[in-house]
Amino acid sequence: MDDCIFCKIARKEIGKLVYEDDTAAAFDDLNPRAPTHVLIIPKKHIEQLAALLPEDAALIGHIMEVANAIAAQKSIASSGYRVVVNNGRAAGQSVDHLHFHLIGGRALGWPPG
Ligand code: 5GP
Ligand code: ZN
């Protein structure tokens, strides 16, 4: 997608990646809500969680592994962290490229607002 901000970040046209491989990329959130706030995305443009296809299952599983690896690298694996997807406007989705928020480094309230 030419005009998708997260596709542009994945293509390294803007911003800075903290992780990338063939299918996934990760970068620090522009407006971090915690000491660690990383966004992990599929390089493939998928609009939202609800748009996943059966063929995306391995990709999404891989992104969970990437989240665990980044959490370990950021030294929040033992203290605890959260992986969140906002699906749709009422849930807070503001960028229409599927992204997983990896949040940690402080105590996190539950349930989220
Ligand atoms: P959402 O609200 O869709 O679940 O999350 C979108 C996230 O993307 C927000 O936390 C917001 O701060 C972040 N964000 C929006 N635009 C950019 C950008 O251009 N660069 C980066 N690094 N993060 C962005
Ligand atoms: Zn995109």
Side-chain angles (χ1 to χ4, degrees):
M1 291 279 285
D2 287 350
D3 57 351
C4 169
I5 191 90
F6 284 2
C7 281
K8 286 181 182 170
I9 293 173
R11 291 195 299 262
K12 293 186 267 190
E13 294 170 14
I14 54 171
K16 178 174 163 282
L17 298 180
V18 298
Y19 173 89
E20 94 171 299
D21 59 35
D22 287 349
T23 60
F27 48 93
D28 289 326
D29 195 291
L30 194 62
N31 181 23
R33 304 304 179 117
T36 293
H37 189 170
V38 174
L39 300 177
I40 309 162
I41 64 170
K43 286 188 170 178
K44 170 185 173 184
H45 182 88
I46 299 171
E47 201 169 302
Q48 59 175 195
L49 192 70
L52 285 181
L53 300 171
E55 70 208 41
D56 298 319
L59 170 62
I60 301 310
H62 173 62
I63 286 175
M64 294 297 103
E65 291 184 316
V66 170
N68 286 342
I70 294 174
Q73 191 228 322
K74 298 273 187 184
S75 303
I76 57 169
S78 58
S79 58
Y81 53 96
R82 188 172 289 164
V83 179
V84 182
V85 177
N86 297 324
N87 185 84
R89 292 289 176 265
Q93 184 175 6
S94 60
V95 177
D96 292 330
H97 179 132
L98 175 60
H99 48 282
F100 295 77
H101 297 258
L102 168 62
I103 300 169
R106 65 168 171 83
L108 302 170
W110 189 263

